[in-house]
mmCIF file of all heavy atoms in Angstrom:
data_model
loop_
_atom_site.group_PDB
_atom_site.id
_atom_site.type_symbol
_atom_site.label_atom_id
_atom_site.label_comp_id
_atom_site.label_asym_id
_atom_site.label_seq_id
_atom_site.Cartn_x
_atom_site.Cartn_y
_atom_site.Cartn_z
ATOM 1 N N ALA A 1 9.820 0.804 3.572
ATOM 2 C CA ALA A 1 10.018 1.731 2.466
ATOM 3 C C ALA A 1 11.055 1.214 1.485
ATOM 4 O O ALA A 1 11.020 1.506 0.303
ATOM 5 C CB ALA A 1 10.440 3.083 2.985
ATOM 6 N N ASP A 2 12.003 0.416 1.945
ATOM 7 C CA ASP A 2 13.050 -0.062 1.068
ATOM 8 C C ASP A 2 12.611 -1.224 0.194
ATOM 9 O O ASP A 2 13.085 -1.361 -0.936
ATOM 10 C CB ASP A 2 14.260 -0.502 1.898
ATOM 11 C CG ASP A 2 14.953 0.700 2.524
ATOM 12 O OD1 ASP A 2 14.731 1.797 2.034
ATOM 13 O OD2 ASP A 2 15.689 0.496 3.502
ATOM 14 N N VAL A 3 11.721 -2.091 0.675
ATOM 15 C CA VAL A 3 11.400 -3.314 -0.066
ATOM 16 C C VAL A 3 9.967 -3.350 -0.553
ATOM 17 O O VAL A 3 9.590 -4.246 -1.300
ATOM 18 C CB VAL A 3 11.664 -4.565 0.816
ATOM 19 C CG1 VAL A 3 13.106 -4.612 1.199
ATOM 20 C CG2 VAL A 3 10.794 -4.550 2.033
ATOM 21 N N VAL A 4 9.136 -2.428 -0.168
ATOM 22 C CA VAL A 4 7.712 -2.493 -0.483
ATOM 23 C C VAL A 4 7.246 -1.147 -0.971
ATOM 24 O O VAL A 4 7.622 -0.116 -0.432
ATOM 25 C CB VAL A 4 6.887 -2.960 0.740
ATOM 26 C CG1 VAL A 4 5.396 -2.933 0.412
ATOM 27 C CG2 VAL A 4 7.299 -4.318 1.182
ATOM 28 N N ASP A 5 6.406 -1.164 -1.978
ATOM 29 C CA ASP A 5 5.707 0.050 -2.391
ATOM 30 C C ASP A 5 4.465 0.160 -1.564
ATOM 31 O O ASP A 5 3.539 -0.656 -1.659
ATOM 32 C CB ASP A 5 5.340 -0.039 -3.878
ATOM 33 C CG ASP A 5 4.653 1.225 -4.371
ATOM 34 O OD1 ASP A 5 4.504 2.154 -3.557
ATOM 35 O OD2 ASP A 5 4.273 1.247 -5.559
ATOM 36 N N PRO A 6 4.346 1.144 -0.690
ATOM 37 C CA PRO A 6 3.212 1.199 0.238
ATOM 38 C C PRO A 6 1.890 1.372 -0.479
ATOM 39 O O PRO A 6 0.840 1.126 0.122
ATOM 40 C CB PRO A 6 3.548 2.386 1.156
ATOM 41 C CG PRO A 6 4.488 3.217 0.378
ATOM 42 C CD PRO A 6 5.270 2.265 -0.483
ATOM 43 N N THR A 7 1.874 1.805 -1.744
ATOM 44 C CA THR A 7 0.584 1.988 -2.463
ATOM 45 C C THR A 7 0.181 0.757 -3.242
ATOM 46 O O THR A 7 -0.944 0.702 -3.802
ATOM 47 C CB THR A 7 0.710 3.186 -3.422
ATOM 48 O OG1 THR A 7 1.747 2.879 -4.373
ATOM 49 C CG2 THR A 7 1.058 4.443 -2.663
ATOM 50 N N ALA A 8 1.078 -0.239 -3.310
ATOM 51 C CA ALA A 8 0.751 -1.434 -4.098
ATOM 52 C C ALA A 8 -0.101 -2.387 -3.279
ATOM 53 O O ALA A 8 0.041 -2.467 -2.067
ATOM 54 C CB ALA A 8 2.037 -2.134 -4.521
ATOM 55 N N GLN A 9 -1.027 -3.099 -3.988
ATOM 56 C CA GLN A 9 -1.887 -4.068 -3.344
ATOM 57 C C GLN A 9 -1.722 -5.402 -4.068
ATOM 58 O O GLN A 9 -1.615 -5.454 -5.297
ATOM 59 C CB GLN A 9 -3.343 -3.650 -3.393
ATOM 60 C CG GLN A 9 -3.622 -2.350 -2.637
ATOM 61 C CD GLN A 9 -5.094 -1.993 -2.667
ATOM 62 O OE1 GLN A 9 -5.919 -2.776 -3.161
ATOM 63 N NE2 GLN A 9 -5.413 -0.831 -2.138
ATOM 64 N N SER A 10 -1.707 -6.496 -3.359
ATOM 65 C CA SER A 10 -1.625 -7.812 -3.955
ATOM 66 C C SER A 10 -2.998 -8.250 -4.477
ATOM 67 O O SER A 10 -4.017 -7.707 -4.088
ATOM 68 C CB SER A 10 -1.098 -8.821 -2.932
ATOM 69 O OG SER A 10 -1.951 -8.890 -1.830
ATOM 70 N N ASP A 11 -3.003 -9.243 -5.380
ATOM 71 C CA ASP A 11 -4.245 -9.681 -5.968
ATOM 72 C C ASP A 11 -5.168 -10.293 -4.940
ATOM 73 O O ASP A 11 -6.420 -10.178 -5.056
ATOM 74 C CB ASP A 11 -3.946 -10.714 -7.069
ATOM 75 C CG ASP A 11 -3.186 -10.073 -8.212
ATOM 76 O OD1 ASP A 11 -3.266 -8.838 -8.348
ATOM 77 O OD2 ASP A 11 -2.489 -10.818 -8.942
ATOM 78 N N ASP A 12 -4.662 -10.952 -3.966
ATOM 79 C CA ASP A 12 -5.509 -11.627 -2.973
ATOM 80 C C ASP A 12 -5.497 -10.881 -1.628
ATOM 81 O O ASP A 12 -5.595 -11.465 -0.583
ATOM 82 C CB ASP A 12 -5.029 -13.060 -2.753
ATOM 83 C CG ASP A 12 -3.572 -13.111 -2.399
ATOM 84 O OD1 ASP A 12 -2.904 -12.044 -2.454
ATOM 85 O OD2 ASP A 12 -3.092 -14.218 -2.054
ATOM 86 N N SER A 13 -5.358 -9.518 -1.702
ATOM 87 C CA SER A 13 -5.343 -8.756 -0.444
ATOM 88 C C SER A 13 -6.669 -8.733 0.242
ATOM 89 O O SER A 13 -6.759 -8.532 1.442
ATOM 90 C CB SER A 13 -4.853 -7.306 -0.714
ATOM 91 O OG SER A 13 -5.735 -6.704 -1.625
ATOM 92 N N ALA A 14 -7.760 -8.905 -0.518
ATOM 93 C CA ALA A 14 -9.089 -8.874 0.118
ATOM 94 C C ALA A 14 -9.450 -10.270 0.545
ATOM 95 O O ALA A 14 -10.158 -10.993 -0.161
ATOM 96 C CB ALA A 14 -10.109 -8.288 -0.867
ATOM 97 N N GLY A 15 -9.033 -10.734 1.594
ATOM 98 C CA GLY A 15 -9.408 -12.036 2.109
ATOM 99 C C GLY A 15 -8.444 -13.114 1.711
ATOM 100 O O GLY A 15 -8.857 -14.185 1.292
ATOM 101 N N HIS A 16 -7.175 -12.899 1.734
ATOM 102 C CA HIS A 16 -6.167 -13.890 1.388
ATOM 103 C C HIS A 16 -6.071 -14.930 2.494
ATOM 104 O O HIS A 16 -6.088 -14.622 3.670
ATOM 105 C CB HIS A 16 -4.813 -13.210 1.217
ATOM 106 C CG HIS A 16 -3.683 -14.178 1.062
ATOM 107 N ND1 HIS A 16 -3.492 -14.868 -0.117
ATOM 108 C CD2 HIS A 16 -2.717 -14.578 1.915
ATOM 109 C CE1 HIS A 16 -2.447 -15.648 0.018
ATOM 110 N NE2 HIS A 16 -1.957 -15.496 1.255
ATOM 111 N N SER A 17 -6.029 -16.210 2.052
ATOM 112 C CA SER A 17 -5.858 -17.290 3.020
ATOM 113 C C SER A 17 -5.007 -18.362 2.395
ATOM 114 O O SER A 17 -4.934 -18.487 1.173
ATOM 115 C CB SER A 17 -7.209 -17.873 3.453
ATOM 116 O OG SER A 17 -7.884 -18.450 2.357
ATOM 117 N N GLY A 18 -4.385 -19.166 3.147
ATOM 118 C CA GLY A 18 -3.532 -20.222 2.661
ATOM 119 C C GLY A 18 -2.340 -20.378 3.528
ATOM 120 O O GLY A 18 -2.067 -19.538 4.364
ATOM 121 N N ASP A 19 -1.669 -21.527 3.318
ATOM 122 C CA ASP A 19 -0.514 -21.792 4.142
ATOM 123 C C ASP A 19 0.769 -21.721 3.345
ATOM 124 O O ASP A 19 1.807 -22.212 3.777
ATOM 125 C CB ASP A 19 -0.627 -23.164 4.814
ATOM 126 C CG ASP A 19 -0.929 -24.265 3.788
ATOM 127 O OD1 ASP A 19 -1.007 -23.910 2.584
ATOM 128 O OD2 ASP A 19 -1.053 -25.394 4.210
ATOM 129 N N SER A 20 0.736 -21.129 2.169
ATOM 130 C CA SER A 20 1.966 -20.948 1.410
ATOM 131 C C SER A 20 2.663 -19.682 1.837
ATOM 132 O O SER A 20 2.019 -18.685 2.131
ATOM 133 C CB SER A 20 1.665 -20.883 -0.088
ATOM 134 O OG SER A 20 0.788 -19.814 -0.358
ATOM 135 N N THR A 21 3.963 -19.750 1.818
ATOM 136 C CA THR A 21 4.751 -18.612 2.248
ATOM 137 C C THR A 21 5.116 -17.760 1.055
ATOM 138 O O THR A 21 5.563 -18.296 0.041
ATOM 139 C CB THR A 21 6.039 -19.068 2.933
ATOM 140 O OG1 THR A 21 5.679 -19.913 4.022
ATOM 141 C CG2 THR A 21 6.859 -17.886 3.425
ATOM 142 N N PRO A 22 4.917 -16.433 1.064
ATOM 143 C CA PRO A 22 5.240 -15.586 -0.077
ATOM 144 C C PRO A 22 6.716 -15.681 -0.389
ATOM 145 O O PRO A 22 7.578 -15.844 0.482
ATOM 146 C CB PRO A 22 4.858 -14.171 0.373
ATOM 147 C CG PRO A 22 3.903 -14.402 1.513
ATOM 148 C CD PRO A 22 4.335 -15.662 2.160
ATOM 149 N N ASP A 23 7.041 -15.598 -1.701
ATOM 150 C CA ASP A 23 8.440 -15.636 -2.137
ATOM 151 C C ASP A 23 9.109 -14.302 -1.961
ATOM 152 O O ASP A 23 10.342 -14.224 -2.040
ATOM 153 C CB ASP A 23 8.521 -16.075 -3.617
ATOM 154 C CG ASP A 23 8.006 -17.476 -3.815
ATOM 155 O OD1 ASP A 23 8.125 -18.264 -2.841
ATOM 156 O OD2 ASP A 23 7.488 -17.753 -4.900
ATOM 157 N N VAL A 24 8.341 -13.243 -1.772
ATOM 158 C CA VAL A 24 8.888 -11.901 -1.606
ATOM 159 C C VAL A 24 8.630 -11.431 -0.189
ATOM 160 O O VAL A 24 7.774 -11.990 0.486
ATOM 161 C CB VAL A 24 8.286 -10.912 -2.628
ATOM 162 C CG1 VAL A 24 8.656 -11.324 -4.029
ATOM 163 C CG2 VAL A 24 6.778 -10.815 -2.475
ATOM 164 N N PRO A 25 9.313 -10.411 0.251
ATOM 165 C CA PRO A 25 9.035 -9.890 1.613
ATOM 166 C C PRO A 25 7.593 -9.523 1.745
ATOM 167 O O PRO A 25 6.903 -9.100 0.814
ATOM 168 C CB PRO A 25 9.954 -8.662 1.724
ATOM 169 C CG PRO A 25 11.068 -8.963 0.782
ATOM 170 C CD PRO A 25 10.440 -9.729 -0.367
ATOM 171 N N VAL A 26 7.115 -9.618 2.986
ATOM 172 C CA VAL A 26 5.688 -9.391 3.271
ATOM 173 C C VAL A 26 5.297 -7.994 2.832
ATOM 174 O O VAL A 26 5.925 -7.011 3.187
ATOM 175 C CB VAL A 26 5.415 -9.594 4.769
ATOM 176 C CG1 VAL A 26 3.947 -9.330 5.075
ATOM 177 C CG2 VAL A 26 5.802 -11.001 5.179
ATOM 178 N N GLN A 27 4.203 -7.893 2.057
ATOM 179 C CA GLN A 27 3.677 -6.633 1.592
ATOM 180 C C GLN A 27 2.566 -6.170 2.507
ATOM 181 O O GLN A 27 1.858 -6.984 3.124
ATOM 182 C CB GLN A 27 3.177 -6.731 0.151
ATOM 183 C CG GLN A 27 4.272 -7.104 -0.852
ATOM 184 C CD GLN A 27 3.705 -7.198 -2.250
ATOM 185 O OE1 GLN A 27 2.497 -7.153 -2.425
ATOM 186 N NE2 GLN A 27 4.577 -7.318 -3.228
ATOM 187 N N GLN A 28 2.332 -4.871 2.503
ATOM 188 C CA GLN A 28 1.238 -4.320 3.291
ATOM 189 C C GLN A 28 -0.084 -4.565 2.573
ATOM 190 O O GLN A 28 -0.179 -4.326 1.363
ATOM 191 C CB GLN A 28 1.420 -2.817 3.481
ATOM 192 C CG GLN A 28 2.539 -2.486 4.466
ATOM 193 C CD GLN A 28 2.665 -0.992 4.641
ATOM 194 O OE1 GLN A 28 2.603 -0.255 3.670
ATOM 195 N NE2 GLN A 28 2.808 -0.557 5.855
ATOM 196 N N SER A 29 -1.041 -5.025 3.299
ATOM 197 C CA SER A 29 -2.371 -5.221 2.744
ATOM 198 C C SER A 29 -3.121 -3.908 2.719
ATOM 199 O O SER A 29 -2.650 -2.889 3.224
ATOM 200 C CB SER A 29 -3.132 -6.270 3.574
ATOM 201 O OG SER A 29 -3.321 -5.793 4.889
ATOM 202 N N ALA A 30 -4.307 -3.955 2.153
ATOM 203 C CA ALA A 30 -5.122 -2.742 2.113
ATOM 204 C C ALA A 30 -5.466 -2.257 3.512
ATOM 205 O O ALA A 30 -5.539 -1.071 3.802
ATOM 206 C CB ALA A 30 -6.406 -3.011 1.307
ATOM 207 N N ALA A 31 -5.690 -3.237 4.408
ATOM 208 C CA ALA A 31 -5.991 -2.855 5.793
ATOM 209 C C ALA A 31 -4.773 -2.241 6.469
ATOM 210 O O ALA A 31 -4.859 -1.334 7.280
ATOM 211 C CB ALA A 31 -6.487 -4.059 6.590
ATOM 212 N N ALA A 32 -3.597 -2.757 6.094
ATOM 213 C CA ALA A 32 -2.357 -2.247 6.725
ATOM 214 C C ALA A 32 -2.051 -0.836 6.271
ATOM 215 O O ALA A 32 -1.476 -0.050 7.008
ATOM 216 C CB ALA A 32 -1.204 -3.162 6.396
ATOM 217 N N THR A 33 -2.422 -0.498 5.029
ATOM 218 C CA THR A 33 -2.140 0.846 4.546
ATOM 219 C C THR A 33 -2.934 1.881 5.279
ATOM 220 O O THR A 33 -2.540 3.041 5.360
ATOM 221 C CB THR A 33 -2.451 0.930 3.046
ATOM 222 O OG1 THR A 33 -3.814 0.574 2.834
ATOM 223 C CG2 THR A 33 -1.540 -0.003 2.257
ATOM 224 N N SER A 34 -4.080 1.474 5.819
ATOM 225 C CA SER A 34 -4.882 2.450 6.587
ATOM 226 C C SER A 34 -4.462 2.563 8.031
ATOM 227 O O SER A 34 -4.871 3.459 8.735
ATOM 228 C CB SER A 34 -6.363 2.060 6.527
ATOM 229 O OG SER A 34 -6.541 0.790 7.139
ATOM 230 N N ALA A 35 -3.625 1.608 8.513
ATOM 231 C CA ALA A 35 -3.150 1.669 9.898
ATOM 232 C C ALA A 35 -2.059 2.714 10.039
ATOM 233 O O ALA A 35 -1.291 2.945 9.110
ATOM 234 C CB ALA A 35 -2.612 0.299 10.319
ATOM 235 N N PRO A 36 -1.998 3.368 11.163
ATOM 236 C CA PRO A 36 -0.966 4.396 11.341
ATOM 237 C C PRO A 36 0.421 3.793 11.399
ATOM 238 O O PRO A 36 0.655 2.795 12.110
ATOM 239 C CB PRO A 36 -1.341 5.058 12.682
ATOM 240 C CG PRO A 36 -2.099 3.999 13.413
ATOM 241 C CD PRO A 36 -2.847 3.216 12.349
ATOM 242 N N VAL A 37 1.307 4.312 10.593
ATOM 243 C CA VAL A 37 2.686 3.820 10.551
ATOM 244 C C VAL A 37 3.571 4.807 11.290
ATOM 245 O O VAL A 37 3.536 6.007 10.978
ATOM 246 C CB VAL A 37 3.160 3.653 9.096
ATOM 247 C CG1 VAL A 37 4.612 3.163 9.075
ATOM 248 C CG2 VAL A 37 2.239 2.699 8.367
ATOM 249 N N PRO A 38 4.294 4.371 12.289
ATOM 250 C CA PRO A 38 5.145 5.316 13.030
ATOM 251 C C PRO A 38 6.168 5.944 12.117
ATOM 252 O O PRO A 38 6.843 5.267 11.357
ATOM 253 C CB PRO A 38 5.824 4.434 14.102
ATOM 254 C CG PRO A 38 5.745 3.053 13.560
ATOM 255 C CD PRO A 38 4.470 2.978 12.747
ATOM 256 N N GLN A 39 6.237 7.251 12.183
ATOM 257 C CA GLN A 39 7.170 7.998 11.359
ATOM 258 C C GLN A 39 8.518 8.104 12.054
ATOM 259 O O GLN A 39 8.601 8.290 13.267
ATOM 260 C CB GLN A 39 6.618 9.411 11.106
ATOM 261 C CG GLN A 39 5.285 9.428 10.390
ATOM 262 C CD GLN A 39 5.408 8.906 8.970
ATOM 263 O OE1 GLN A 39 6.416 9.100 8.317
ATOM 264 N NE2 GLN A 39 4.357 8.240 8.490
ATOM 265 N N ARG A 40 9.556 8.000 11.261
ATOM 266 C CA ARG A 40 10.887 8.161 11.808
ATOM 267 C C ARG A 40 11.158 9.630 12.113
ATOM 268 O O ARG A 40 10.915 10.500 11.267
ATOM 269 C CB ARG A 40 11.928 7.656 10.829
ATOM 270 C CG ARG A 40 13.357 7.697 11.355
ATOM 271 C CD ARG A 40 14.312 7.295 10.276
ATOM 272 N NE ARG A 40 15.678 7.344 10.764
ATOM 273 C CZ ARG A 40 16.724 7.241 9.987
ATOM 274 N NH1 ARG A 40 16.594 7.106 8.677
ATOM 275 N NH2 ARG A 40 17.939 7.296 10.499
ATOM 276 N N GLN A 41 11.607 9.906 13.324
ATOM 277 C CA GLN A 41 11.876 11.285 13.717
ATOM 278 C C GLN A 41 13.118 11.797 13.018
ATOM 279 O O GLN A 41 14.198 11.207 13.132
ATOM 280 C CB GLN A 41 12.044 11.377 15.243
ATOM 281 C CG GLN A 41 12.198 12.810 15.731
ATOM 282 C CD GLN A 41 12.279 12.859 17.213
ATOM 283 O OE1 GLN A 41 12.255 11.830 17.866
ATOM 284 N NE2 GLN A 41 12.346 14.065 17.774
ATOM 285 N N GLN A 42 12.943 12.857 12.273
ATOM 286 C CA GLN A 42 14.064 13.426 11.547
ATOM 287 C C GLN A 42 14.909 14.293 12.481
ATOM 288 O O GLN A 42 14.372 15.011 13.310
ATOM 289 C CB GLN A 42 13.572 14.274 10.379
ATOM 290 C CG GLN A 42 12.792 13.483 9.354
ATOM 291 C CD GLN A 42 13.658 12.470 8.635
ATOM 292 O OE1 GLN A 42 14.858 12.672 8.545
ATOM 293 N NE2 GLN A 42 13.067 11.381 8.157
ATOM 294 N N PRO A 43 16.204 14.241 12.372
ATOM 295 C CA PRO A 43 17.059 15.088 13.235
ATOM 296 C C PRO A 43 16.850 16.561 12.887
ATOM 297 O O PRO A 43 16.526 16.917 11.753
ATOM 298 C CB PRO A 43 18.480 14.642 12.894
ATOM 299 C CG PRO A 43 18.366 14.036 11.535
ATOM 300 C CD PRO A 43 16.989 13.413 11.441
ATOM 301 N N ASP A 44 17.024 17.398 13.911
ATOM 302 C CA ASP A 44 16.889 18.844 13.704
ATOM 303 C C ASP A 44 17.939 19.291 12.731
ATOM 304 O O ASP A 44 19.128 19.007 12.877
ATOM 305 C CB ASP A 44 17.026 19.574 15.053
ATOM 306 C CG ASP A 44 15.916 19.209 16.002
ATOM 307 O OD1 ASP A 44 14.852 18.768 15.498
ATOM 308 O OD2 ASP A 44 16.116 19.321 17.228
ATOM 309 N N ARG A 45 17.488 20.058 11.761
ATOM 310 C CA ARG A 45 18.410 20.589 10.768
ATOM 311 C C ARG A 45 18.635 22.071 11.032
ATOM 312 O O ARG A 45 17.687 22.776 11.353
ATOM 313 C CB ARG A 45 17.865 20.387 9.367
ATOM 314 C CG ARG A 45 17.515 18.949 9.051
ATOM 315 C CD ARG A 45 16.928 18.783 7.686
ATOM 316 N NE ARG A 45 17.859 18.170 6.770
ATOM 317 C CZ ARG A 45 17.613 18.004 5.481
ATOM 318 N NH1 ARG A 45 16.495 18.413 4.984
ATOM 319 N NH2 ARG A 45 18.505 17.413 4.706
ATOM 320 N N PRO A 46 19.806 22.510 10.896
ATOM 321 C CA PRO A 46 20.052 23.954 11.125
ATOM 322 C C PRO A 46 19.330 24.783 10.082
ATOM 323 O O PRO A 46 19.221 24.402 8.908
ATOM 324 C CB PRO A 46 21.575 24.067 10.994
ATOM 325 C CG PRO A 46 21.985 22.881 10.180
ATOM 326 C CD PRO A 46 20.998 21.783 10.506
ATOM 327 N N SER A 47 18.809 25.897 10.553
ATOM 328 C CA SER A 47 18.102 26.793 9.645
ATOM 329 C C SER A 47 19.098 27.496 8.743
ATOM 330 O O SER A 47 20.312 27.465 8.949
ATOM 331 C CB SER A 47 17.301 27.813 10.454
ATOM 332 O OG SER A 47 18.157 28.588 11.232
#
């Protein structure tokens, strides 16, 4: 959440291949956005 926009997709997300390393932190692909992402458990807040 801090370094990636989860709704953004890269240009070569549909079948990207190659041995070059991205200059930016790894982004979620279209397939990754559909995978369940564990949610951080929020502490109980007083009512």
Side-chain angles (χ1 to χ4, degrees):
D2 290 341
V3 299
V4 177
D5 182 2
T7 61
Q9 297 182 6
S10 61
D11 294 339
D12 54 353
S13 60
H16 172 75
S17 63
D19 52 1
S20 60
T21 303
D23 296 331
V24 295
V26 179
Q27 297 180 351
Q28 287 181 317
S29 64
T33 58
S34 62
V37 179
Q39 301 293 327
R40 183 185 180 191
Q41 184 176 3
Q42 298 294 334
D44 296 337
R45 305 178 107 184
S47 61

